[in-house]
Amino acid sequence: MHYTYSEKKIGSSFTLVSGNNISAALETATKDLKFFWNQGSKEVKMKVNHLPISLMPNQIACTNYNQEVMLISDRTELVALFFNREFYCIHTYDQEVSCNGLLFFGSDPTAILQLDSDEKEKLSMLIHVLQQEFIIHDSNQEEMLRILLKRFIIRLTRLGRRQLLKSSGKQDEIDLIRSFNVLVEEHFKEKKTVAEYAELLFKSPKTLSNVFSKISKTSPLQIIHERIVTEAKRLLLFTDMPIKSIGYDLGYEEYSQFSKFFKKAVGLSPGEFRESKE
């Protein structure tokens, strides 16, 4: 299965693909948000930014366009949805699906959701309807595909609130955490403290930390540090940038500061980490 909708004028793209077609589709989906659904009975092994991930039966992984995805085991029963911001921008239309900062760019770098039998049935029906809409070429096709994608995202967002957070919390508390996660994604290179993000959110650092302690599995400072480490690893693994330049790019004027931070977080110096993955 391999269906793609594209609109050349604005560059919008939405793809539904399965099995051995996924690897080829990944090569042209570098700017897409992605869902990977293991519909089989065996685990599917993946690497996201070089980190191994086991996607178990009836699990869905959510990855963003800053992540390098590689499939390293049989993907016969895997189904994937890719879409770019021109087709549907989760930032602009956050109020519609509320997934920004939860499924994507959230506390979990790669959010993984477990489907029960009821969710599996409902999402399978959505995939089936999507397949039908991909082959209907009329003036309403794009909007129908977008509506179905939004339904898919909303169902996963509801699951994410239950599975990715420590407790449900109030809506304004969940939105505060999502907003914090999005701000970290935007500013992690120049802002390194909880206080700086609290100021952007018009909250005190204590209020922010209390909300995270109540409903999040990670602290705000952990999220900041993990995002910096994730980007450092990506640049070390997938670029030829000098290590000092990487540190500077991540907001460390002194290489020693970057090296000390990275080694404390990873257990290896940046140079040792790059060499260990060659």
Side-chain angles (χ1 to χ4, degrees):
M1 175 173 66
H2 191 169
Y3 301 98
T4 296
Y5 171 86
S6 61
E7 204 284 320
K8 293 182 179 179
K9 184 177 292 185
I10 63 171
S12 67
S13 176
F14 179 33
T15 297
L16 171 63
V17 62
S18 66
N20 293 324
N21 294 316
I22 296 176
S23 291
L26 275 171
E27 295 179 8
T28 58
T30 55
K31 296 182 179 181
D32 291 7
L33 298 175
K34 307 174 185 71
F35 294 111
F36 298 90
W37 179 3
N38 182 1
Q39 294 186 329
S41 58
K42 299 179 180 178
E43 69 174 321
V44 173
K45 293 183 179 180
M46 310 167 58
K47 283 189 177 181
V48 180
N49 282 351
H50 210 77
L51 296 175
I53 288 178
S54 291
L55 194 62
M56 304 308 291
N58 294 316
Q59 286 188 338
I60 293 180
C62 315
T63 69
N64 64 63
Y65 39 73
N66 293 325
Q67 296 172 302
E68 302 276 348
V69 180
M70 180 186 301
L71 303 176
I72 58 175
S73 69
D74 178 60
R75 71 294 309 257
T76 307
E77 300 299 322
L78 199 63
V79 171
L81 283 80
F82 306 159
F83 64 99
N84 63 11
R85 67 185 77 187
E86 288 78 15
F87 183 81
Y88 188 70
C89 181
I90 62 169
H91 302 279
T92 303
Y93 301 105
D94 180 67
Q95 290 185 336
E96 293 184 346
V97 292
S98 302
C99 69
N100 200 18
L102 185 65
L103 302 184
F104 304 107
F105 312 109
S107 305
D108 297 71
T110 304
I112 295 179
L113 306 171
Q114 181 68 55
L115 305 183
D116 58 23
S117 57
D118 183 55
E119 285 298 334
K120 179 184 177 182
E121 180 180 357
K122 288 182 170 64
L123 292 178
S124 294
M125 288 177 62
L126 270 175
I127 293 294
H128 178 68
V129 178
L130 272 169
Q131 288 179 266
Q132 295 177 322
E133 289 299 328
F134 268 107
I135 60 177
I136 298 175
H137 302 286
D138 61 18
S139 60
N140 298 317
Q141 183 189 27
E142 181 175 2
E143 190 56 31
M144 278 296 294
L145 290 173
R146 191 176 290 114
I147 288 170
L148 292 169
L149 173 63
K150 286 193 286 187
R151 288 183 62 187
F152 191 90
I153 295 173
I154 289 169
R155 298 211 69 87
L156 294 188
T157 299
R158 290 172 177 169
L159 274 181
R161 288 175 185 156
R162 298 197 299 268
Q163 296 182 14
L164 302 176
L165 300 174
K166 188 166 62 177
S167 63
S168 56
K170 299 176 182 178
Q171 187 59 50
D172 61 336
E173 294 173 328
I174 295 173
D175 288 343
L176 179 62
I177 287 177
R178 293 197 306 111
S179 296
F180 174 85
N181 290 336
V182 172
L183 286 173
V184 171
E185 181 64 29
E186 294 174 353
H187 300 290
F188 69 91
K189 291 184 179 182
E190 65 267 14
K191 299 185 187 299
K192 304 286 191 290
T193 68
V194 175
E196 290 174 295
Y197 291 98
E199 184 178 0
L200 291 175
L201 292 163
F202 303 102
K203 302 290 184 182
S204 71
K206 184 177 181 180
T207 297
L208 193 58
S209 295
N210 286 342
V211 170
F212 267 83
S213 177
K214 179 181 176 183
I215 64 175
S216 178
K217 297 177 182 178
T218 51
S219 72
L221 189 59
Q222 280 179 293
I223 291 170
I224 297 168
H225 286 176
E226 286 174 5
R227 184 63 188 92
I228 297 168
V229 169
T230 297
E231 183 66 6
K233 287 180 175 178
R234 188 185 72 82
L235 294 172
L236 287 165
L237 292 173
F238 299 109
T239 76
D240 296 323
M241 283 179 66
I243 294 174
K244 287 185 178 181
S245 297
I246 291 174
Y248 186 78
D249 183 66
L250 294 174
Y252 295 92
E253 293 187 6
E254 298 292 333
Y255 170 71
S256 59
Q257 291 178 305
F258 170 60
S259 182
K260 182 178 179 180
F261 166 79
F262 189 89
K263 187 165 186 176
K264 183 178 180 181
V266 179
L268 298 170
S269 71
E272 290 169 339
F273 178 80
R274 176 174 268 177
E275 290 175 2
S276 70
K277 300 302 178 182
E278 290 181 351

